[in-house]
DNA sequence: TGCGCGCCTTGAGG
DNA sequence: ACCTCAAGGCGCG
């Protein structure tokens, strides 16, 4: 039986509410009324709660899931990259850029997760021309359908994220289409097949951590449904490329409104994509991707609504 | 090679 | 009812 334990960690170093629902991971859910954040990973259910100076945590295991030993604390330290001192980074970025200083003051504790590349990759194939809310429900359906069932907790069924081999099955494309995935259904199925065909196992994805940003990016771009932006998301969020800057519509708007960077038209050309990334890298290196994610969060209307909720009652 | 354009699915919000 | 937009990618000219 597991019990609650805690890791010393201030909200300035990590804010669960913003970090877990700002569109980098899509399977965390807030449980009410406990206020816990819950998800399934590595064969167990994770329960987290933010306290004043600690992150409290515990894991739940199903009956036959004591297979492999799992050090929960070291997993969480790795997943949240707690060795990275976020407070120092904010100070550094703020000292180098007044705009960041002003904008970030309302968004402390926004941290890049070190995710599983498989989940990260297939989640972000779903992200194209889509919104965070719907991406979340799509990933949820995918996990319920193809991921291993772990256990039920408080009436909710928890599944691991699907194995690549499950997503490579012939029937997956039509099934995902029926589930409302649209044109992304084909990309998911084809990318899964291609990974297994050309690289034997999904371990290949983890091996990209050892490559440079440019090399890893070039590999990812070979997969269907993965363009420059999604490749940079994967590089940043699961492959340790801290300088990777995914430029989406939000980052583009911030670059234009707050930093005066704009192209000739309103479309995001390859040149503008590189200019924006280059500008932020000059400002915020070597953790430029982390800094740009803070700016990204500040532009999310979805979060601004959520932030007001607790005060209204 | 680089760029601009239309198209691709769905569903929430205006 | 109709439009736009949402962490875009692809194929074409």
């Amino acid at each position: 039986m597991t019990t609650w334990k805690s890791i010393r960690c201030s909200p300035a170093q990590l804010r669960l509410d913003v970090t877990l629902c700002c569109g980098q991971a899509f399977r965390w859910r807030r449980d009410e009324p406990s206020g816990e954040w819950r998800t399934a990973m590595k064969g167990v259910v994770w329960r987290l709660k933010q306290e004043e100076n600690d992150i409290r945590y515990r894991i739940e295991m199903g009956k036959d899931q004591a297979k492999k030993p799992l050090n929960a604390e070291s997993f969480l330290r790795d997943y949240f990259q707690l060795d990275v001192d976020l407070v120092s980074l904010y100070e550094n970025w703020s000292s180098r850029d007044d705009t960041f200083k002003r904008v970030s003051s309302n968004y402390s504790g926004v941290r890049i997760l070190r995710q599983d590349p498989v989940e990260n990759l297939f989640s972000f194939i779903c992200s194209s021309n889509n919104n965070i809310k719907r991406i979340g429900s799509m990933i949820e359906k995918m996990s319920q359908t193809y991921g291993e069932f772990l256990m039920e907790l408080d009436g909710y069924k928890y599944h691991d994220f699907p194995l690549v081999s499950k997503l490579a099955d012939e029937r997956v494309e039509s099934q995902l289409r029926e589930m409302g995935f649209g044109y992304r259904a084909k990309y998911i199925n084809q990318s899964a097949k291609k990974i297994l065909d050309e690289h034997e196992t999904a371990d290949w994805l983890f091996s990209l951590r050892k490559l440079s940003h440019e090399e890893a990016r070039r590999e990812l771009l070979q997969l269907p449904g993965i363009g420059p932006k999604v490749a940079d998301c994967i590089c940043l969020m699961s492959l340790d490329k801290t300088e990777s800057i995914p430029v989406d519509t939000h980052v583009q708007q911030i670059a234009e409104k707050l930093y005066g960077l704009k192209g000739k038209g309103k479309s995001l050309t390859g040149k503008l994509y590189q200019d924006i990334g280059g500008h932020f890298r000059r400002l915020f290196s070597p953790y430029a991707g982390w800094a740009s994610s803070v700016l990204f969060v500040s532009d999310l209307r979805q979060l601004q609504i959520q932030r007001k909720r607790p005060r209204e009652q």
Side-chain angles (χ1 to χ4, degrees), chain A residues 236-254:
Chain A
L236 175 65
M237 300 174 191
S238 62
L239 299 180
D240 303 331
K241 314 310 178 200
T242 61
E243 301 243 48
S244 178
I245 298 178
V247 182
D248 72 320
T249 59
H250 294 286
V251 174
Q252 185 188 358
Q253 284 179 39
I254 290 166

Side-chain angles (χ1 to χ4, degrees), chain A residues 15 17-18 21-22 103 106-107 132 250 253-254 257-258 294-312:
Chain A
R15 274 191 51 176
D17 56 355
V18 187
C21 60
C22 68
V103 170
N106 294 321
Y107 298 93
I132 292 176
H250 294 286
Q253 284 179 39
I254 290 166
K257 282 186 286 191
L258 302 184
V294 176
L295 297 174
F296 166 80
V297 164
S298 74
D299 199 58
L300 276 185
R301 197 174 57 84
Q302 217 169 315
L303 279 178
Q304 290 162 7
I305 294 168
Q306 278 193 4
R307 286 167 58 80
K308 288 177 183 172
R309 269 240 154 99
R311 298 173 179 276
E312 283 177 4

Side-chain angles (χ1 to χ4, degrees), chain A residues 87-291:
Chain A
V87 174
S88 296
L89 285 177
Y90 270 65
E91 287 173 0
N92 178 273
W93 298 327
S94 295
S95 73
R96 294 160 70 178
D97 178 33
D98 285 335
T99 302
F100 181 90
K101 183 176 186 177
R102 175 167 48 81
V103 170
S104 67
S105 59
N106 294 321
Y107 298 93
S108 61
V110 181
R111 175 177 283 276
I112 296 295
L113 304 171
R114 188 171 195 246
Q115 299 188 64
D116 179 320
V118 173
E119 173 171 349
N120 192 208
L121 186 151
F122 289 99
S123 296
F124 274 86
I125 286 179
C126 296
S127 74
S128 73
N129 200 17
N130 205 348
N131 58 70
I132 292 176
K133 191 173 175 184
R134 186 158 79 106
I135 299 165
S137 67
M138 285 163 64
I139 301 303
E140 187 65 34
K141 282 182 215 165
M142 199 194 305
S143 300
Q144 301 274 349
T145 307
Y146 302 109
E148 184 190 0
F149 172 73
L150 299 179
M151 62 180 295
E152 186 169 334
L153 179 62
D154 293 334
Y156 191 84
K157 291 184 169 61
Y158 286 88
H159 295 248
D160 250 332
F161 192 83
L163 298 170
V164 178
S165 56
K166 294 282 187 183
L167 299 177
D169 187 279
E170 288 296 335
R171 297 164 294 179
V172 166
E173 179 181 343
S174 60
Q175 289 169 345
L176 288 177
R177 272 201 176 267
E178 286 180 31
M179 288 184 243
F181 279 60
Y183 58 87
R184 306 166 192 88
K186 182 188 289 186
Y187 296 150
I188 290 166
N189 189 224
Q190 287 184 344
S191 277
K193 284 180 187 169
K194 190 164 183 177
I195 289 170
L196 297 183
D197 284 351
E198 298 183 3
H199 307 288
E200 295 293 317
T201 73
D203 291 341
W204 167 75
L205 269 177
F206 286 85
S207 75
L208 299 181
R209 285 177 172 170
K210 296 195 286 278
L211 302 183
S212 69
H213 178 199
E214 197 177 342
E215 291 168 329
R217 192 173 192 269
R218 190 167 55 237
E219 292 291 329
L220 292 171
L221 287 174
Q222 303 304 311
L223 297 172
I226 299 186
K229 189 269 175 181
V230 169
D232 279 333
C233 284
I234 299 165
C235 282
L236 175 65
M237 300 174 191
S238 62
L239 299 180
D240 303 331
K241 314 310 178 200
T242 61
E243 301 243 48
S244 178
I245 298 178
V247 182
D248 72 320
T249 59
H250 294 286
V251 174
Q252 185 188 358
Q253 284 179 39
I254 290 166
E256 180 172 344
K257 282 186 286 191
L258 302 184
Y259 294 90
L261 295 172
K262 52 184 172 186
K264 292 177 181 176
K266 54 184 174 182
S267 69
L268 181 58
T269 63
K271 173 171 164 40
L272 182 57
Y273 190 101
Q274 288 208 341
D275 285 349
I276 293 173
H279 186 75
F280 286 147
R281 269 185 281 274
R282 272 190 295 281
L283 278 177
F284 304 125
S285 180
Y287 279 79
W290 289 50

